[in-house]
Amino acid sequence: MSAARPAILVIDDEPQIHRFLSPALDAAGYEPKQAASGQEGLRGIALWNPDAVVLDLGLPDMDGKDVLKRAREFYAGPIIVLSAREREAEKIAALDLGANDYVEKPFGVGELLARLRASLRQAAHREAPNGPIVIGDVSIDLENRRILRADEPVRLTPKEFEVLAMLARHPGKVIGHRDLLTAVWGVAHAEDTQYLRVVVGQIRHKLERDPGLPRLIETEPGIGYRLSG
């Protein structure tokens, strides 16, 4: 969660939606973030961990319902579906896949902001207190980008931090190779597992007592990695 203004990621391929919605979100006290495709949106969710997501179902590269399904594998925040589709079945499918609310285009900004506030209030009731994630002698403070091992600061490269941060947001849960690669390197590198293997090895070297027998970052062969919960 953001420390100052709540970050809202809008995933929509229509430039005019961003042109009027970003200023409206900004004026309402939010930090607007933008994505114009499904893959870009998934990467934004993974990197920014926004306070809420506004998701269009009609995206150029993939169906919005597929974005919703994949996002729910690693993101627990509110997702409001925004779409011109009027079919009841689409609405039901989106809600069944984990959408918190549904707004049809054309829409009024006031209505969207009201639904956004309601979803954020509901999420706040479920949210655990913020603070560093402590596993053994390792402390991971995502908000301040501060990593400690045995109370000593550890310097991570930006890529190392991004990989560790994505795992740390979901301790105990396996995050797939493709999701990690897409989030950190982009969709063009979604199959480059060697990149990920090298970076995980570097993190283990800096944080594990015995990098050859890792206990902090565990490997799920053929699937991905998990941070010990």
Side-chain angles (χ1 to χ4, degrees):
M1 300 290 284
S2 51
R5 301 192 302 164
I8 309 299
L9 173 61
V10 179
I11 307 174
D12 198 303
D13 66 322
E14 297 183 44
Q16 61 269 32
I17 293 291
H18 293 294
R19 279 198 297 269
F20 83 81
L21 195 51
S22 288
L25 289 168
D26 183 68
Y30 301 111
E31 178 187 354
K33 293 184 177 294
Q34 301 179 9
S37 69
Q39 292 289 356
E40 186 182 345
L42 287 168
R43 184 168 188 263
I45 293 171
L47 284 177
W48 297 321
N49 191 33
D51 295 81
V53 173
V54 177
L55 170 66
D56 182 25
L57 289 185
L59 296 169
D61 59 336
M62 57 192 300
D63 192 287
K65 295 193 300 298
D66 292 330
V67 176
L68 178 58
K69 183 177 180 180
R70 286 187 57 186
R72 280 302 183 219
E73 294 175 359
F74 62 89
Y75 176 71
I79 298 178
I80 298 177
V81 166
L82 183 67
S83 178
R85 303 177 184 179
E86 298 178 356
R87 290 184 297 170
E88 189 72 13
E90 291 286 352
K91 180 178 180 179
I92 292 170
L95 294 172
D96 284 344
L97 286 170
N100 296 79
D101 208 341
Y102 191 105
V103 179
E104 292 181 357
K105 294 180 180 178
F107 62 92
V109 172
E111 178 190 2
L112 178 61
L113 291 176
R115 292 178 181 272
L116 188 57
R117 289 192 297 270
S119 293
L120 288 169
R121 283 196 300 269
Q122 292 170 3
H125 288 309
R126 299 191 300 266
E127 190 173 86
N130 290 331
I133 298 165
V134 179
I135 302 174
D137 63 352
V138 175
S139 172
I140 304 169
D141 186 344
L142 297 180
E143 185 174 349
N144 296 303
R145 298 181 69 90
R146 182 175 171 81
I147 311 298
L148 301 176
R149 180 186 170 195
D151 296 324
E152 293 294 326
V154 176
R155 294 179 64 88
L156 298 181
T157 68
K159 296 297 186 190
E160 290 167 2
F161 181 85
E162 289 173 16
V163 169
L164 182 63
M166 190 167 175
L167 293 171
R169 291 188 183 108
H170 314 282
K173 181 174 181 177
V174 176
I175 306 297
H177 296 138
R178 187 180 181 88
D179 288 328
L180 284 162
L181 285 160
T182 299
V184 178
W185 283 274
V187 66
H189 298 286
E191 306 298 331
D192 294 334
T193 54
Q194 181 62 23
Y195 287 8
L196 184 59
R197 191 176 301 115
V198 169
V199 168
V200 169
Q202 292 168 342
I203 299 171
R204 284 171 168 164
H205 182 74
K206 294 177 180 181
L207 297 182
E208 298 276 6
R209 289 183 178 274
D210 183 353
L213 296 172
R215 297 193 176 189
L216 180 69
I217 299 178
E218 302 172 350
T219 299
E220 189 69 26
I223 299 176
Y225 299 94
R226 69 156 63 85
L227 193 74
S228 297

